[in-house]
Amino acid sequence: MKSYIINSNNQIELIEKEIPSIGNQQVLLKMYATSLNFRDLLTVEGSYGGKGSTGTIPLSDGVGVIEKIGSEVKKFQIGERVCPTFMPGWIDGTYTKEKARSALGAGEVQGVLSEYIAIDESALVKVPEYLSNEEAATLPCAAVTAWFSLFVSHQLQPGHIVLLLGTGGVSIFALQLAKTAGATVIITSSNDEKLAQAKKLGADFIINYSKTPDWDEEVLRLTNQNGVDIVVEVGGANTLNKSLNAVKYSGTVSMIGVLTGKESNVTTGKILSKKIKVEGVYVGSRKMFEDMNLAFQQNQIRPQIDKVFSFLEAPQAFEYLKSGKHFGKVVVSISERGQ
Amino acid sequence: MKSYIINSNNQIELIEKEIPSIGNQQVLLKMYATSLNFRDLLTVEGSYGGKGSTGTIPLSDGVGVIEKIGSEVKKFQIGERVCPTFMPGWIDGTYTKEKARSALGAGEVQGVLSEYIAIDESALVKVPEYLSNEEAATLPCAAVTAWFSLFVSHQLQPGHIVLLLGTGGVSIFALQLAKTAGATVIITSSNDEKLAQAKKLGADFIINYSKTPDWDEEVLRLTNQNGVDIVVEVGGANTLNKSLNAVKYSGTVSMIGVLTGKESNVTTGKILSKKIKVEGVYVGSRKMFEDMNLAFQQNQIRPQIDKVFSFLEAPQAFEYLKSGKHFGKVVVSISERGQ
Amino acid sequence: MKSYIINSNNQIELIEKEIPSIGNQQVLLKMYATSLNFRDLLTVEGSYGGKGSTGTIPLSDGVGVIEKIGSEVKKFQIGERVCPTFMPGWIDGTYTKEKARSALGAGEVQGVLSEYIAIDESALVKVPEYLSNEEAATLPCAAVTAWFSLFVSHQLQPGHIVLLLGTGGVSIFALQLAKTAGATVIITSSNDEKLAQAKKLGADFIINYSKTPDWDEEVLRLTNQNGVDIVVEVGGANTLNKSLNAVKYSGTVSMIGVLTGKESNVTTGKILSKKIKVEGVYVGSRKMFEDMNLAFQQNQIRPQIDKVFSFLEAPQAFEYLKSGKHFGKVVVSISERGQ
Amino acid sequence: MKSYIINSNNQIELIEKEIPSIGNQQVLLKMYATSLNFRDLLTVEGSYGGKGSTGTIPLSDGVGVIEKIGSEVKKFQIGERVCPTFMPGWIDGTYTKEKARSALGAGEVQGVLSEYIAIDESALVKVPEYLSNEEAATLPCAAVTAWFSLFVSHQLQPGHIVLLLGTGGVSIFALQLAKTAGATVIITSSNDEKLAQAKKLGADFIINYSKTPDWDEEVLRLTNQNGVDIVVEVGGANTLNKSLNAVKYSGTVSMIGVLTGKESNVTTGKILSKKIKVEGVYVGSRKMFEDMNLAFQQNQIRPQIDKVFSFLEAPQAFEYLKSGKHFGKVVVSISERGQ
């Protein structure tokens, strides 16, 4: 079979490999499609943290069909279409150090940019049938992250105001989920076209942060100086202070991103005086993925795909993601079969 | 001014009264409209529990305009349109015995079926402008109860399945709120026309419990034998066992109603083996009302009004509610002024 | 090896069996000691619900030493002393129908009243070293149930008031845990000697319910008419109404027991008017067991053992439990080895 | 009467004033004793944030006896001993901007370093009788902050591990409350004598951070590299990174303090990868104070008082607090009367 691995030049490289054998509680998945996250860029470039990833198959997100099952597999059958979960070790319950280490496509854990993968049945979720393979491939990391942030770390209610920073994968899924849940959405971008697209998807207010660098003050103006209920903080270290300003008293800031850095000067005094909850969100459990799928199914939410690359064009997909031109997800198709 | 009081024959009676004087922290409200709840029937009939209500002005729900303010009133101004809260003593936080006793229109606490009322400013909420007076008058009890049940006692998420019993005021508000929040709704009634109306408002599944007396089994069938996430239990004692059967493991049953009685034979073993949360819901706090209004405003939810009676027809409004023919709310209009 | 099974006469019977073989992710446990719960009585008598248990090894609770490990076992080693969890399928997170079905010693799931058992490593917890084998054998069902009730279903804080019904295993563990957590404890019994023992373990108030049949009113008197924060409801259907009376507004009733029946006439109106949370508690997850062990370790809590029977006396242990004479736990010792 | 005010030289100054008149819902309190918090130092020095405090009576914490009651006061009587709450506007429920502004002894809100104060009855709590006036005076800010952190922001359970930074007022109350609740406590200080005192109060592990500057690594070593469940972060900006290192995955960091600054370089990446909850804690509501008093009463916790100054020595009390020599609370006694 063909797989990509991360080579010692911090690039992905196509290689030939044996189709992996499976354990008793595992399945063999023929991959249909995969999608890219900003984290995958960092991993290939060697700046994601944790152990080096040289020799590892990259990417966490994908969808495939079960071609073989181990002797003790109980819940799944050959022919079913499934996504692997981002962290196979995190089924449900409390997040721990051990569960974190199971994340696919980084360190020594093989990812999904491969024609076949072997994976535990406990790390699989069925995906709603109405989704195409390309759409289904976008769910495991970005969509689950948005779900965790809005509905687990925060308890989003109709009427809440959500602030989204930029129009990357997590933000666009958060936009769609927040609108599905009856919330108000404010979204920022430096690009008017992307803001127009966000508006089409339901965003209530848009802010071009190039033209309005004090976007936090604009958020306060839009919210009658109260601030928002939750910020889905994908920016990271260098947007955090503005997020702390834009969120209301007793509000939530979901720490998700490292786009603008992993450390920065933070006005911690504001966390205290406004009683803000700043909580880390790192993708999520299989349970969250399953819950989210019910929301997708019921509301027929369609993932926003910017561009689909072929398996051989995977390196270009990485380049494209890096360019920041995308709105929504960048997908790599692997197998023609399927829907 | 004219007011209705509950007389010793368990009927409402129109009387003449002095317009009440107001305290320093109170306002004088000229009432526009009021609405009826099942609880008001029980109160007039003397079977609501608590102290007798003879001599008391009935009804908890209404909307009016501020005509006068006390010397220490800070947040409200003359001319603003507001609803009194169901329990003036419950602003926010934990529900207590003392707060429960402040409920309007029962025992010794005067209600709102009156041309004027005096009320603490801390017991007022502004209502969304897009609502008519008749619509706004329906919110304080039934809508807040539905909100408390779905979003405070339970944490409703898109994709959750909600079971609603009947098409009374609480159920219809719960239907509208649940659909706004991206949930799936199953609703029961003994009346096909009402079920058709519920379908128009977004209900996903309908069950005529006259034709399908084992509606709990039908709910299990519709949910792949899993059961629903939450039952908004307005039926009370005599529907509870079926609700315990229809709810899923780790699910929620919101105990709201006493329509079918206040005590009954209950299979408590099921609460334990399925780890069900049966939680009482008694209207709610001012904070919940305010949060709910944001949801109404953002999603332009329109309360379902079955019929509007004039002030002089108030006794007929009670009769009509008792007949059970209504779908949604029964309103009594008081003043022509306003929207 | 020797094991007991439930025979078709609803009695336990000693038989000879092959030592079970283990799967790749399993261990072989040589059992040191086991303990009995009221549920085991019901199971043997065939009245526990679920499928019949004829041919099944009874008992869920025990401790043993690992004698063999499967090829894929990662966290445990030969020679370690461990308890199996009550529901091997419930590691952490949400309780489900599937997890419920994995409970040991009932239906078709083999229990621990046996010289050896084979069990998944994911269903094991290490036990604090300071505990004897007899003490450790009492933890999996009764102690975890008490933990779940006080610290998961409820969030017990210093200063809360806990009401315990009777002096069975769950109640005594709840007494010890509640006192460790700085709470006030009220406990009932029909036996003055047992009440004196409870007092020695720290109970603040005792009520002999034979002499004070309206024990709920006595609880109200002791709490300044406010009621308690939580009732650990081991009585079940026929004590529930009194528990609903004895708990305060916004309080918790943990539904645990079926001692007095599985269904009864319940004043559901009180659940609503007092906003009581009645929540089922069914033992708990491995995570709860692990958390509880940290509490035991830190506070050196010693399980109360009433009587220890030898392996051959196991039938007498069942008789003794049935007699209701015990205070704390009834233990069956299996192997002389160990601590 | 005599009161201190903050003068334009950022010092406190004794003045003569009229005894304040009271509103209908207010009481007149003759103050027995008051206590100092680090916040009061910042306020007098003009660096606490918010509006300038010149002319304002300082201090939030104190206890007194009711000498007069307004015509509408319902819950309190002349002769009762009570504490004002830190934020009179925060009774219960959600913390808001408006509630924050009601904090005593800063900005334009008069404090308690005065022979008499007038205050709303809704801002009073009775204090346990076993406490002396000096002890009772220490509760409103530091003890409630510790309570909020451990039992509201976090849900402390027996067996949890708590990390306390330094031996100031909040830390020592947190130490006593955590031990009351059956938790393990690790505490730091640069002073071996203070660490010895902490040990006497029950601290399980002590770290001298002068001798062990990498105290976060020492905490990891003590906790088997897992980290603690909660850090009561009174240090603020410049200790936060070490706290983020010392807390476990899914742990809580309560942001309380500004001792080391209000902003600093923070490794936000760690919040994300470890899913840490960093939540601001700003004293607390009246409800929290009342709940906490029940815990004090039940467990007879005695506040640690370092030194008591007379009313005329109040300036020296501020100097002493500034010196950092104290262990526990610094008190100013006002009236000789009382216990």
Side-chain angles (χ1 to χ4, degrees):
Chain A
M1 71 170 187
K2 290 190 171 59
S3 300
Y4 282 93
I5 58 160
I6 301 170
N7 67 21
S8 52
N9 296 326
N10 294 329
Q11 291 180 318
I12 63 167
E13 183 181 327
L14 194 62
I15 61 164
E16 290 280 340
K17 266 189 123 171
E18 290 284 297
I19 290 180
S21 59
I22 55 172
N24 293 341
Q25 300 180 332
Q26 290 196 311
V27 308
L28 182 71
L29 223 56
K30 178 172 165 59
M31 298 305 295
Y32 284 150
T34 61
S35 79
L36 276 65
N37 292 289
F38 185 69
R39 167 224 191 225
D40 301 313
L41 276 184
L42 297 179
T43 305
V44 171
E45 291 172 0
S47 56
Y48 186 60
K51 297 184 191 168
S53 302
T54 305
T56 298
I57 300 173
L59 297 197
S60 59
D61 287 16
V63 69
V65 63
I66 298 176
E67 287 217 339
K68 242 191 194 165
I69 60 172
S71 60
E72 296 174 28
V73 164
K74 286 170 196 159
K75 286 172 37 190
F76 292 96
Q77 296 179 326
I78 290 173
E80 287 187 300
R81 189 175 68 150
V82 293
C83 286
T85 58
F86 181 86
M87 276 181 249
W90 194 5
I91 311 295
D92 193 5
T94 311
Y95 171 77
T96 63
K97 206 191 303 190
E98 289 68 34
K99 293 174 183 176
R101 285 180 185 151
S102 68
L104 297 177
E108 296 175 355
V109 187
Q110 299 299 332
V112 301
L113 190 54
S114 178
E115 288 184 318
Y116 289 91
I117 69 163
I119 189 152
D120 292 355
E121 76 155 331
S122 61
L124 298 178
V125 298
K126 279 192 209 174
V127 279
E129 287 192 24
Y130 77 92
L131 295 173
S132 72
N133 291 334
E134 283 70 26
E135 289 170 333
T138 66
L139 299 178
C141 178
V144 176
T145 299
W147 178 265
F148 184 174
S149 172
L150 296 177
F151 298 106
V152 183
S153 182
H154 191 71
Q155 275 82 48
L156 193 71
Q157 297 174 348
H160 274 190
I161 309 177
V162 179
L163 172 59
L164 304 174
L165 307 184
T167 58
V170 173
S171 291
I172 298 305
F173 278 120
L175 165 56
Q176 294 177 292
L177 287 167
K179 292 312 298 177
T180 296
T184 302
V185 170
I186 305 173
I187 193 165
T188 71
S189 172
S190 60
N191 181 316
D192 282 336
E193 258 178 69
K194 290 181 178 178
L195 288 171
Q197 282 178 279
K199 197 122 205 195
K200 266 189 211 153
L201 287 172
D204 298 274
F205 301 102
I206 57 179
I207 302 174
N208 184 319
Y209 63 80
S210 291
K211 300 178 186 165
T212 312
D214 290 342
W215 49 266
D216 51 334
E217 291 298 324
E218 176 66 6
V219 170
L220 289 174
R221 197 188 62 77
L222 288 169
T223 57
N224 203 16
Q225 297 303 316
N226 286 321
V228 299
D229 292 273
I230 174 172
V231 186
V232 180
E233 224 319 338
V234 297
N238 288 300
T239 47
L240 182 54
N241 279 347
K242 283 185 189 297
S243 293
L244 293 175
N245 193 37
V247 77
K248 75 174 186 184
Y249 277 61
S250 300
T252 303
V253 174
S254 286
M255 276 305 293
I256 292 172
V258 290
L259 285 171
T260 65
K262 289 182 197 169
E263 62 176 280
S264 180
N265 203 46
V266 175
T267 52
T268 57
K270 210 159 249 177
I271 296 174
L272 144 62
S273 62
K274 292 173 74 175
K275 196 184 102 50
I276 298 166
K277 179 174 84 165
V278 179
E279 190 166 38
V281 161
Y282 185 38
V283 189
S285 67
R286 191 187 81 195
K287 175 68 162 58
M288 294 181 203
F289 197 166
E290 291 164 342
D291 288 348
M292 183 191 77
N293 280 347
L294 297 172
F296 269 72
Q297 175 75 54
Q298 168 66 24
N299 298 285
Q300 302 280 305
I301 300 171
R302 300 221 83 103
Q304 296 299 303
I305 294 172
D306 184 277
K307 205 164 177 178
V308 181
F309 292 82
S310 71
F311 191 45
L312 294 179
E313 295 169 326
Q316 288 91 310
F318 276 81
E319 285 309 308
Y320 184 67
L321 184 72
K322 199 172 178 178
S323 76
K325 290 179 190 153
H326 60 289
F327 177 92
K329 300 296 294 177
V330 176
V331 169
V332 173
S333 183
I334 300 188
S335 155
E336 304 259 325
R337 246 176 45 182
Q339 288 182 279
Chain B
M1 70 170 189
K2 290 188 171 59
S3 301
Y4 283 93
I5 57 160
I6 302 170
N7 67 22
S8 51
N9 297 325
N10 294 329
Q11 292 180 316
I12 63 166
E13 183 180 328
L14 193 63
I15 61 163
E16 288 279 339
K17 267 189 122 172
E18 289 285 297
I19 290 181
S21 59
I22 56 171
N24 294 341
Q25 300 179 333
Q26 289 195 312
V27 308
L28 181 71
L29 221 55
K30 178 172 166 58
M31 297 305 294
Y32 284 150
T34 62
S35 80
L36 276 65
N37 293 289
F38 185 71
R39 163 221 193 228
D40 301 313
L41 276 184
L42 297 179
T43 304
V44 171
E45 290 170 0
S47 56
Y48 186 61
K51 299 182 189 171
S53 303
T54 305
T56 298
I57 300 173
L59 297 197
S60 59
D61 288 13
V63 68
V65 62
I66 298 176
E67 288 216 338
K68 240 190 193 168
I69 60 172
S71 60
E72 296 174 28
V73 166
K74 285 169 197 160
K75 283 172 38 191
F76 291 95
Q77 296 179 325
I78 290 172
E80 286 186 300
R81 188 175 71 149
V82 292
C83 285
T85 58
F86 182 87
M87 276 180 247
W90 193 4
I91 311 293
D92 193 6
T94 311
Y95 172 77
T96 64
K97 205 190 303 189
E98 289 69 34
K99 293 174 184 177
R101 286 179 183 151
S102 67
L104 297 176
E108 297 175 354
V109 187
Q110 299 298 332
V112 301
L113 190 54
S114 178
E115 289 184 319
Y116 289 90
I117 69 164
I119 190 151
D120 292 354
E121 75 157 330
S122 61
L124 299 177
V125 298
K126 280 191 206 173
V127 278
E129 287 192 24
Y130 77 92
L131 295 172
S132 74
N133 290 335
E134 284 69 25
E135 290 171 331
T138 66
L139 300 178
C141 178
V144 176
T145 299
W147 178 265
F148 184 173
S149 173
L150 296 177
F151 298 106
V152 183
S153 183
H154 191 70
Q155 276 80 49
L156 193 70
Q157 297 174 349
H160 274 189
I161 309 177
V162 179
L163 173 60
L164 303 174
L165 306 185
T167 59
V170 172
S171 292
I172 297 306
F173 278 121
L175 165 56
Q176 294 178 291
L177 286 167
K179 293 311 298 176
T180 295
T184 302
V185 170
I186 304 174
I187 193 165
T188 71
S189 174
S190 60
N191 182 318
D192 283 335
E193 257 178 72
K194 289 182 179 180
L195 287 171
Q197 282 177 280
K199 197 121 203 195
K200 264 190 213 153
L201 286 172
D204 298 274
F205 302 101
I206 56 180
I207 301 174
N208 185 318
Y209 64 80
S210 292
K211 302 176 185 168
T212 311
D214 290 341
W215 49 267
D216 50 335
E217 291 298 326
E218 175 68 4
V219 169
L220 289 174
R221 197 188 61 77
L222 289 169
T223 57
N224 203 17
Q225 299 303 318
N226 287 320
V228 301
D229 293 275
I230 174 169
V231 185
V232 180
E233 224 317 339
V234 298
N238 288 301
T239 46
L240 182 54
N241 279 346
K242 284 185 187 296
S243 293
L244 294 175
N245 193 35
V247 77
K248 73 175 188 184
Y249 277 61
S250 300
T252 303
V253 175
S254 287
M255 276 304 293
I256 291 172
V258 290
L259 286 171
T260 66
K262 291 181 195 169
E263 62 177 279
S264 182
N265 204 46
V266 175
T267 53
T268 57
K270 210 160 250 179
I271 296 174
L272 143 61
S273 63
K274 293 173 72 173
K275 197 185 101 50
I276 297 167
K277 180 174 84 166
V278 179
E279 189 166 39
V281 160
Y282 185 37
V283 190
S285 66
R286 190 186 81 196
K287 175 67 162 58
M288 293 180 206
F289 197 165
E290 291 165 340
D291 287 348
M292 183 191 77
N293 280 348
L294 297 174
F296 269 73
Q297 175 74 55
Q298 168 67 23
N299 298 285
Q300 301 280 307
I301 300 170
R302 301 220 82 104
Q304 296 300 301
I305 294 172
D306 184 278
K307 204 164 178 178
V308 180
F309 292 83
S310 72
F311 192 45
L312 294 178
E313 297 168 326
Q316 290 90 308
F318 275 81
E319 284 311 307
Y320 183 68
L321 184 72
K322 200 173 177 174
S323 75
K325 290 178 192 154
H326 60 290
F327 177 92
K329 300 296 295 178
V330 175
V331 169
V332 173
S333 182
I334 300 187
S335 156
E336 305 257 325
R337 244 178 44 182
Q339 289 182 275
Chain C
M1 70 170 188
K2 290 188 169 61
S3 301
Y4 282 92
I5 57 159
I6 301 170
N7 67 23
S8 52
N9 296 325
N10 294 330
Q11 291 179 316
I12 63 167
E13 184 182 327
L14 194 62
I15 61 161
E16 290 279 340
K17 265 191 123 168
E18 288 284 297
I19 291 180
S21 59
I22 56 171
N24 293 341
Q25 300 180 332
Q26 290 195 312
V27 307
L28 181 71
L29 222 54
K30 179 172 166 56
M31 298 304 294
Y32 284 149
T34 61
S35 80
L36 277 65
N37 294 289
F38 185 72
R39 164 223 192 226
D40 301 313
L41 276 184
L42 297 179
T43 303
V44 171
E45 290 171 359
S47 56
Y48 186 60
K51 299 183 190 169
S53 303
T54 305
T56 298
I57 300 173
L59 298 196
S60 60
D61 288 13
V63 67
V65 62
I66 298 176
E67 286 215 340
K68 242 190 195 167
I69 60 172
S71 60
E72 295 175 28
V73 166
K74 286 171 197 159
K75 284 173 39 191
F76 291 95
Q77 296 179 327
I78 291 173
E80 287 187 299
R81 190 176 68 150
V82 292
C83 286
T85 58
F86 182 86
M87 277 179 247
W90 194 5
I91 310 294
D92 194 6
T94 311
Y95 172 77
T96 64
K97 207 191 302 189
E98 290 69 34
K99 293 175 182 177
R101 286 178 184 154
S102 68
L104 298 177
E108 296 176 356
V109 187
Q110 300 299 332
V112 301
L113 190 54
S114 178
E115 288 184 318
Y116 289 90
I117 69 163
I119 191 153
D120 293 353
E121 75 156 332
S122 61
L124 300 178
V125 299
K126 279 190 208 173
V127 278
E129 287 192 23
Y130 78 91
L131 295 172
S132 73
N133 290 334
E134 284 69 27
E135 290 171 332
T138 66
L139 300 179
C141 179
V144 176
T145 299
W147 179 264
F148 183 174
S149 172
L150 296 177
F151 298 107
V152 182
S153 184
H154 190 70
Q155 275 81 48
L156 193 70
Q157 298 175 348
H160 275 188
I161 309 177
V162 179
L163 172 60
L164 303 174
L165 307 184
T167 58
V170 173
S171 291
I172 298 305
F173 278 121
L175 165 55
Q176 294 177 292
L177 286 167
K179 293 311 298 176
T180 296
T184 302
V185 171
I186 304 174
I187 192 164
T188 71
S189 173
S190 60
N191 181 317
D192 283 336
E193 256 177 71
K194 289 183 178 178
L195 288 170
Q197 282 178 279
K199 197 122 204 195
K200 265 190 213 153
L201 286 172
D204 298 274
F205 301 102
I206 56 180
I207 301 174
N208 186 318
Y209 64 79
S210 293
K211 301 177 185 169
T212 312
D214 290 343
W215 48 266
D216 50 334
E217 292 297 325
E218 175 66 5
V219 169
L220 288 174
R221 197 188 61 76
L222 289 170
T223 57
N224 204 16
Q225 299 303 318
N226 287 320
V228 300
D229 293 274
I230 174 169
V231 185
V232 180
E233 223 321 337
V234 297
N238 288 299
T239 47
L240 183 54
N241 279 347
K242 284 186 187 297
S243 293
L244 293 175
N245 194 35
V247 77
K248 72 174 190 184
Y249 277 62
S250 301
T252 303
V253 174
S254 287
M255 277 304 293
I256 291 172
V258 291
L259 285 170
T260 66
K262 290 182 196 170
E263 62 176 279
S264 181
N265 203 44
V266 175
T267 53
T268 56
K270 211 160 249 176
I271 296 174
L272 142 61
S273 63
K274 292 173 74 173
K275 197 186 99 52
I276 298 167
K277 181 175 81 165
V278 179
E279 188 167 38
V281 161
Y282 186 35
V283 189
S285 67
R286 190 187 81 195
K287 175 68 161 59
M288 294 180 204
F289 198 165
E290 291 165 341
D291 287 349
M292 183 192 76
N293 280 347
L294 297 173
F296 269 73
Q297 175 75 54
Q298 167 67 23
N299 298 284
Q300 301 279 307
I301 300 170
R302 300 221 82 102
Q304 295 300 301
I305 295 173
D306 184 277
K307 206 166 176 175
V308 180
F309 292 83
S310 71
F311 191 45
L312 294 180
E313 296 168 326
Q316 289 92 309
F318 276 82
E319 283 311 307
Y320 184 68
L321 184 73
K322 199 172 180 176
S323 75
K325 290 178 190 152
H326 59 290
F327 177 92
K329 299 296 294 178
V330 176
V331 169
V332 173
S333 182
I334 299 187
S335 155
E336 304 258 326
R337 244 176 46 180
Q339 288 182 281
Chain D
M1 69 170 187
K2 290 189 170 60
S3 300
Y4 282 92
I5 57 159
I6 301 170
N7 68 21
S8 51
N9 296 325
N10 294 329
Q11 291 180 317
I12 63 166
E13 183 180 327
L14 193 62
I15 61 163
E16 290 279 341
K17 265 190 124 168
E18 289 285 297
I19 289 180
S21 59
I22 57 172
N24 294 342
Q25 300 179 332
Q26 289 195 310
V27 308
L28 182 71
L29 221 55
K30 178 172 165 58
M31 297 305 293
Y32 284 150
T34 61
S35 79
L36 277 65
N37 293 289
F38 185 71
R39 166 223 192 225
D40 301 312
L41 276 184
L42 297 179
T43 304
V44 171
E45 290 171 0
S47 55
Y48 186 61
K51 297 183 190 169
S53 303
T54 304
T56 299
I57 300 173
L59 297 196
S60 58
D61 287 15
V63 68
V65 63
I66 298 177
E67 287 217 338
K68 241 189 191 166
I69 60 171
S71 60
E72 296 173 29
V73 166
K74 285 168 197 160
K75 284 172 37 190
F76 291 96
Q77 296 180 325
I78 290 172
E80 286 186 301
R81 188 176 69 150
V82 292
C83 285
T85 57
F86 182 87
M87 275 181 249
W90 194 5
I91 309 295
D92 194 5
T94 311
Y95 171 77
T96 63
K97 205 190 304 191
E98 290 68 33
K99 293 175 183 176
R101 284 179 184 153
S102 68
L104 298 176
E108 295 175 356
V109 187
Q110 299 299 331
V112 301
L113 190 54
S114 178
E115 288 184 319
Y116 290 91
I117 68 162
I119 189 151
D120 292 354
E121 76 157 328
S122 60
L124 299 177
V125 298
K126 279 193 207 173
V127 278
E129 286 192 23
Y130 77 92
L131 294 173
S132 73
N133 290 334
E134 284 71 26
E135 289 170 334
T138 66
L139 299 179
C141 177
V144 175
T145 299
W147 179 266
F148 184 175
S149 172
L150 296 177
F151 298 106
V152 182
S153 182
H154 191 71
Q155 276 81 47
L156 194 71
Q157 299 175 347
H160 274 189
I161 309 176
V162 179
L163 173 59
L164 304 174
L165 307 184
T167 58
V170 172
S171 292
I172 297 305
F173 278 121
L175 164 57
Q176 294 178 293
L177 286 166
K179 293 311 299 176
T180 296
T184 302
V185 170
I186 304 174
I187 193 165
T188 70
S189 172
S190 60
N191 181 318
D192 283 335
E193 259 178 70
K194 290 181 177 178
L195 288 172
Q197 282 177 280
K199 198 120 205 197
K200 267 190 211 152
L201 287 171
D204 298 273
F205 300 102
I206 57 178
I207 302 174
N208 184 318
Y209 64 79
S210 291
K211 300 177 186 167
T212 311
D214 290 343
W215 48 267
D216 50 335
E217 291 298 324
E218 176 66 6
V219 169
L220 289 174
R221 197 188 61 77
L222 289 169
T223 57
N224 204 16
Q225 298 303 318
N226 287 320
V228 300
D229 292 274
I230 174 171
V231 185
V232 180
E233 225 317 340
V234 297
N238 287 300
T239 48
L240 182 54
N241 279 347
K242 284 184 189 297
S243 293
L244 294 175
N245 193 36
V247 77
K248 74 175 186 184
Y249 277 62
S250 300
T252 303
V253 174
S254 286
M255 276 305 293
I256 293 172
V258 290
L259 285 170
T260 66
K262 289 181 195 169
E263 63 176 279
S264 181
N265 204 47
V266 175
T267 53
T268 57
K270 210 159 250 176
I271 296 174
L272 142 61
S273 62
K274 293 173 73 175
K275 197 186 100 52
I276 298 166
K277 180 174 85 164
V278 178
E279 189 166 40
V281 160
Y282 185 37
V283 189
S285 67
R286 191 185 82 195
K287 175 68 162 58
M288 294 182 204
F289 197 165
E290 291 164 342
D291 287 347
M292 183 191 76
N293 280 348
L294 298 173
F296 269 73
Q297 176 76 53
Q298 168 65 24
N299 298 284
Q300 302 279 307
I301 300 171
R302 300 222 83 103
Q304 295 300 301
I305 294 172
D306 184 276
K307 207 165 176 178
V308 180
F309 292 83
S310 71
F311 191 46
L312 294 179
E313 295 168 328
Q316 289 91 310
F318 275 81
E319 284 309 308
Y320 183 68
L321 184 72
K322 199 172 178 176
S323 76
K325 289 178 191 155
H326 60 290
F327 177 93
K329 300 295 294 179
V330 175
V331 170
V332 173
S333 182
I334 299 188
S335 156
E336 305 257 322
R337 245 176 46 182
Q339 288 182 277

